[in-house]
Amino acid sequence: MKKAYIYFENGTFLEALSFGADGTSVGEVVFNTSMSGYQEIITDPSYAGQFITFTMPEIGIVGTNSKDNEREIPHCKGIIVRKYQDFPSNFRSQEKLSDFLCKHQIMGICDIDTRGVTAMLRDQGAMMAIISTEFSEIEELKARLAKSPRIEEINYIQKVSITDEKAHSKGTFCFAKMDFQTPPTHKTVVAIDFGAKDNILNELVQAGLHVILKPHNFDAQEIISLYQDKKIHGVFLSNGPGDPMVLQDEVKQIQKLIAAKIPIFGICLGHQLLSIAHGYPTEKLKFGHHGGNHPVKNLANGKVEITAQNHNYSVTDAILEIADVTHRNLFDNTIEGVRYKNAPIFSVQYHPEASPGPTDSKELFRQFAQML
């Protein structure tokens, strides 16, 4: 392994070993508390522009395989781990994690005190950093980091969204058959791709919906016409990376869908964009929620759901003027779900499709299908 060097914007400098792609990369560092599913996390488009620090100390043991990708091409900047295991032990493994990262030009560094990095991010907040296998001098790294744009200044949606419309027909993965199911569909929805995870689309299909995926720069009037002609029955707004306040063009199109009274379901970034489209800006969390073990209380039935999460921004309590809060985060009491009072619209901040993570909240996909 080559030596690698990481410099954080707060002045922290660490030496490490590289098991991923060579080079120099700048991004925002966050931490993820999931105990498993590193491949699904790495290939989640919502991590575009970010370095993922895994709190799970052992990474690499199950290798990688093509069926566990959330998107074909990963968009994160890299991963930071305590110990990398280069000898996969899993019957589904097709490729070592190191080879997977190198193939996609993603950095991977190990021999880092990830507990220390996590505590630093918890106390000081998510921060920008530069990782390099080329430069080792602190002043050089500091200068390059200072010249690089911050994550909130980059529109990553343009990088992760599809460019042409396409249909999605496969359902969820069936381990008994080692393949994806294709259940019958009854209603049609348009899913707007801001960086949608494949398993979100799989769960929509599994709930009995035919999914037409459209790019982020969609034409709301086209969708409204399809809805009025009863060719589609609702709209889904996907997850995605970055600051939702950057997406003003997309917000204007969503406002047209809202005005047309089209049934809408939003997850993560889609949840945030619905709030903004209603006139209620989001706020950035100190270090975000990233992991597969976040407790969320369902206020409708009083049950606690363990959820998978990946977001840096949150809808504020100001939304209570026009929506009922349906879910609250039990770590910090932030809003995790809302149902709008005078429209067939609901949304959640967390990931009910898991991948990785628990499946406590999969019922939401069936609720959307029933609403349609």
Side-chain angles (χ1 to χ4, degrees):
M1 293 185 186
K2 281 188 176 181
K3 279 194 173 184
Y5 307 89
I6 178 169
Y7 178 84
F8 295 84
E9 63 179 313
N10 68 350
T12 300
F13 173 75
L14 300 172
E15 293 188 15
L17 294 176
S18 169
F19 63 90
D22 293 336
T24 302
S25 188
V26 173
E28 182 181 53
V29 185
V30 297
F31 63 87
N32 185 293
T33 57
S34 293
M35 297 294 286
S36 62
Y38 59 76
Q39 183 180 341
E40 291 95 327
I41 294 166
I42 293 168
T43 55
D44 180 350
S46 295
Y47 282 108
Q50 294 179 322
F51 292 112
I52 308 162
T53 303
F54 286 99
T55 60
M56 177 62 181
E58 296 273 352
I59 297 293
I61 192 64
V62 296
T64 64
N65 73 85
S66 59
K67 291 184 178 179
D68 284 351
N69 286 337
E70 285 302 315
R71 287 292 272 261
E72 186 176 350
I73 300 174
H75 293 278
C76 67
K77 288 300 186 85
I79 65 173
I80 302 169
V81 306
R82 176 68 186 93
K83 184 178 180 181
Y84 170 64
Q85 173 56 260
D86 200 42
F87 300 96
S89 178
N90 187 289
F91 75 99
R92 298 178 67 230
S93 178
Q94 298 169 338
E95 188 175 32
K96 295 192 296 186
L97 177 58
S98 57
D99 293 338
F100 177 84
L101 293 177
C102 290
K103 180 173 67 177
H104 293 290
Q105 289 300 298
I106 303 293
M107 302 196 79
I109 61 171
C110 62
D111 278 19
I112 286 284
D113 177 11
T114 50
R115 290 174 73 92
V117 171
T118 299
M120 179 178 71
L121 298 176
R122 177 198 64 198
D123 295 340
Q124 300 181 36
M127 64 183 73
M128 298 295 291
I130 181 170
I131 297 179
S132 180
T133 59
E134 303 170 308
F135 307 103
S136 60
E137 296 296 324
I138 293 178
E139 291 304 315
E140 174 73 17
L141 295 170
K142 182 179 179 180
R144 287 177 175 271
L145 178 60
K147 293 177 183 178
S148 301
R150 300 187 63 82
I151 190 169
E152 56 266 24
E153 298 170 352
I154 304 172
N155 186 345
Y156 279 105
I157 304 299
Q158 297 172 348
K159 299 177 183 294
V160 302
S161 178
I162 59 171
T163 55
D164 297 304
E165 174 186 315
K166 65 178 183 179
H168 186 94
S169 58
K170 72 180 182 182
T172 56
F173 188 77
C174 177
F175 277 96
K177 298 181 179 179
M178 296 304 293
D179 205 351
F180 291 93
Q181 302 177 72
T182 53
T185 56
H186 308 291
K187 298 285 185 179
T188 299
V189 296
V190 168
I192 307 301
D193 179 29
F194 301 117
K197 292 173 64 180
D198 274 357
N199 207 48
I200 288 180
L201 306 178
N202 296 347
E203 290 289 353
L204 289 170
V205 171
Q206 202 68 32
L209 302 173
H210 176 64
V211 178
I212 302 172
L213 197 61
K214 287 184 177 290
H216 72 99
N217 54 347
F218 66 99
D219 179 4
Q221 193 53 55
E222 176 193 359
I223 294 175
I224 293 170
S225 297
L226 290 171
Y227 177 69
Q228 291 172 341
D229 293 341
K230 298 184 178 180
K231 293 181 179 178
I232 67 163
H233 305 91
V235 171
F236 172 76
L237 303 178
S238 85
N239 62 295
D243 185 347
M245 295 299 292
V246 172
L247 307 177
Q248 291 304 308
D249 290 340
E250 288 83 352
V251 165
K252 290 176 183 177
Q253 297 301 312
I254 293 171
Q255 287 172 334
K256 295 177 183 178
L257 300 179
I258 294 170
K261 301 292 184 182
I262 297 177
I264 302 174
F265 175 32
I267 287 178
C268 205
L269 180 65
H271 165 78
Q272 297 161 13
L273 290 174
L274 281 168
S275 176
I276 297 168
H278 280 92
Y280 296 87
T282 54
E283 63 181 9
K284 188 168 186 178
L285 299 169
K286 185 175 181 180
F287 48 79
H289 298 162
H290 310 276
N293 42 23
H294 289 247
V296 167
K297 186 171 184 178
N298 184 324
L299 302 183
N301 57 26
K303 293 183 179 180
V304 175
E305 302 169 10
I306 304 303
T307 68
Q309 305 208 6
N310 177 23
H311 59 275
N312 276 5
Y313 296 85
S314 176
V315 170
T316 70
D317 280 357
I319 200 71
L320 287 166
E321 294 179 2
I322 61 166
D324 294 320
V325 175
T326 58
H327 300 79
R328 286 275 186 185
N329 188 296
L330 294 184
F331 282 153
D332 58 11
N333 204 42
T334 52
I335 292 174
E336 292 283 358
V338 299
R339 185 175 293 273
Y340 289 85
K341 295 178 180 179
N342 298 313
I345 300 172
F346 72 100
S347 60
V348 292
Q349 182 61 79
Y350 54 93
H351 284 264
E353 82 289 348
S355 291
T359 57
D360 295 17
S361 307
K362 288 176 67 172
E363 178 64 26
L364 288 169
F365 295 101
R366 287 186 286 272
Q367 289 178 15
F368 182 45
Q370 289 166 4
M371 183 176 77
L372 301 187

